Amino acid sequence: MNAASEMAAFDRLPAAVRARLAASRFDFKAVTIAADRRAHRLSVAETVAFIGEMEAWAADAEKSADCGDGNRLTPAKPPRVDEMVERIRNSY
């Protein structure tokens, strides 16, 4: 994935989703968010909530991550996207 395709994916996202991604302290890829949005047929509001769920996962993962070479962290567990989507859908 190059920078141009990542920027194009960001530009195709709805404004509210772009704003939420831009406000995040984590570097979530627009391509990945767009793919999850399509795969789970998330509305704009659900996608914004999904980014919040991903932030919570990332903050927890940061606490329990394994230190690798250099300054990179490796999460102990991958995000459970299906569970996040289910939680979001149950809250609406």
Side-chain angles (χ1 to χ4, degrees), residues 9-25:
F10 182 83
D11 290 342
R12 285 190 299 271
L13 290 170
V17 175
R18 290 192 315 262
R20 186 67 178 89
L21 277 176
S24 179
R25 75 179 185 97

Side-chain angles (χ1 to χ4, degrees), residues 3-84:
S5 59
E6 184 64 28
M7 288 173 55
F10 182 83
D11 290 342
R12 285 190 299 271
L13 290 170
V17 175
R18 290 192 315 262
R20 186 67 178 89
L21 277 176
S24 179
R25 75 179 185 97
F26 296 101
D27 185 22
F28 298 124
K29 301 297 181 199
V31 170
T32 305
I33 295 297
D36 284 328
R37 183 169 191 249
R38 279 189 308 276
H40 297 285
R41 297 182 177 161
L42 299 173
S43 69
V44 171
E46 289 171 334
T47 306
V48 169
F50 177 71
I51 294 166
E53 288 278 335
M54 288 296 292
E55 285 181 319
W57 168 81
D60 287 343
E62 198 172 37
K63 293 174 195 168
S64 63
D66 298 325
C67 292
D69 294 336
N71 63 353
R72 299 285 183 175
L73 297 174
T74 303
K77 299 177 196 169
R80 296 180 175 181
V81 173
D82 290 334
E83 290 177 16
M84 291 176 186

